[in-house]
Amino acid sequence: MSALAAAGHQCLAINLPGHGGTGPSSSTSSSNGSRSDLNGDDLEDCYSVPAAAAVVEGAAAAAFGPGTPCMLVGYSMGARVALQIILQQQHVMHNIRHADLTPSDQLSAQIAGEFKVSWAGAVVISGTPGIPDPDLRSARILKDAELAEMLTQLGSERFLAWWYDQPLWRSLRSHPGFSRLLQKRGLEQRGNEQGLALALKHGSTGKMKPLWGQLKGCQLPMLLVAGELDTKFAGIKRRMAARLRQGPAAAAATAAAAGGSGSSSSVEGLSAAELGAQIQQQQQQQR
């Protein structure tokens, strides 16, 4: 974000529902990012990946204006939200072009599109299009529900200390700025445990509708980034790139010597260079 802003691009960093005090509705959410009058399916609808996608779409349109060409940059859950937005836009536009919608539905889709920005592509950092296997999805749902319960019981600071002690973050722990990062995260999330737990539980990868089948038809540029030491997401990135290469457009990249956090300077420079070029190209095409 800093590199893009320094290069002259307007940037907007968005707290997804459950993060940074963002609740399902700014007018009715409580101070900890949750709502006391919601439960069950209502909570899942408010903190799901599609719900987070709607928040991003609304914030982008309010900040930049409907129809403005924009690029998405997302990490982890944010990357899944970016994929949801980009691939959903592709799906709607495909249906309109191929007359798979009724005239009424086509009109509704066109009217809705007039109030949104025009997504020109995405940078997906350590993201996945979902879990295809139903049994693995169920297991992930249970795991994330357990983590959400653990978060509310321990509190954010103790949970973060435990979380960043996992093997995934070994390379990040060796970074000279790690202690400062951990302290900052703890302060940011203190008192917001309930909102974060709701996002973790209801925004679980296991509850996300798999999007693998939509990658092949993606016509927008997509930069895929995964830490070289993060074998899980490096493998997912390769499989995503293979699907995208079967379609109209793709861009794949591996960050050298970056851990699972995908936050090294090499990743940032690569993303800024690639993304900036794509933004300029898309803006020129739409003039």
Side-chain angles (χ1 to χ4, degrees):
M1 293 288 289
S2 299
L4 285 170
H9 300 289
Q10 288 185 296
C11 297
L12 177 67
I14 301 170
N15 284 319
L16 300 178
H19 298 75
T22 300
S25 171
S26 59
S27 61
T28 55
S29 56
S30 62
S31 59
N32 67 353
S34 64
R35 278 178 52 180
S36 59
D37 61 326
L38 295 175
N39 53 57
D41 292 339
D42 290 333
L43 281 174
E44 184 165 352
D45 289 342
C46 290
Y47 289 93
S48 65
V49 170
V55 168
V56 173
E57 296 236 52
F64 303 120
T68 304
C70 295
M71 301 288 283
L72 278 163
V73 182
Y75 164 68
S76 190
M77 181 181 183
R80 291 190 284 121
V81 171
L83 285 168
Q84 173 80 28
I85 292 171
I86 290 293
L87 296 177
Q88 178 63 25
Q89 175 179 279
Q90 290 284 289
H91 177 69
V92 170
M93 295 308 297
H94 175 273
N95 285 344
I96 292 175
R97 286 195 301 268
H98 292 79
D100 292 337
L101 299 176
T102 66
S104 176
D105 288 339
Q106 288 186 37
L107 179 59
S108 297
Q110 290 170 349
I111 291 174
E114 292 177 358
F115 295 95
K116 297 179 180 179
V117 299
S118 176
W119 298 111
V123 172
V124 178
I125 306 171
S126 297
T128 173
I131 303 172
D133 185 271
D135 292 335
L136 293 179
R137 283 204 302 274
S138 297
R140 181 58 186 265
I141 290 171
L142 290 175
K143 178 182 177 181
D144 286 338
E146 291 172 356
L147 287 174
E149 180 65 22
M150 182 179 178
L151 171 58
T152 57
Q153 290 180 354
L154 291 179
S156 60
E157 291 188 48
R158 290 175 60 196
F159 179 83
L160 286 171
W162 170 83
W163 177 251
Y164 282 114
D165 194 44
Q166 303 306 302
L168 170 66
W169 308 105
R170 184 177 292 112
S171 62
L172 180 62
R173 290 196 299 271
S174 65
H175 192 282
F178 173 69
S179 296
R180 186 170 64 254
L181 169 68
L182 187 60
Q183 183 180 27
K184 180 182 178 183
R185 292 277 171 86
L187 290 173
E188 289 174 345
Q189 299 179 8
R190 183 183 299 165
N192 189 40
E193 289 85 356
Q194 184 65 24
L196 288 168
L198 288 169
L200 179 58
K201 180 178 180 179
H202 297 295
S204 169
T205 308
K207 292 190 175 184
M208 175 183 176
K209 181 180 178 180
L211 301 170
W212 286 93
Q214 297 183 35
L215 289 173
K216 185 177 178 180
C218 184
Q219 298 185 23
L220 297 175
M222 195 179 296
L223 177 66
L224 309 178
V225 181
E228 189 175 59
L229 302 180
D230 188 349
T231 55
K232 173 184 174 180
F233 280 101
I236 291 174
K237 186 212 72 172
R238 286 192 292 270
R239 294 196 296 275
M240 288 177 64
R243 289 287 185 98
L244 286 166
R245 288 192 184 105
Q246 298 172 13
T254 300
S261 62
S263 60
S264 73
S265 59
S266 60
V267 177
E268 183 176 282
L270 176 63
S271 300
E274 293 282 344
L275 187 56
Q278 295 291 354
I279 290 173
Q280 292 174 353
Q281 179 182 358
Q282 291 291 333
Q283 289 176 335
Q284 290 171 358
Q285 290 177 353
Q286 296 196 25
R287 284 173 182 167

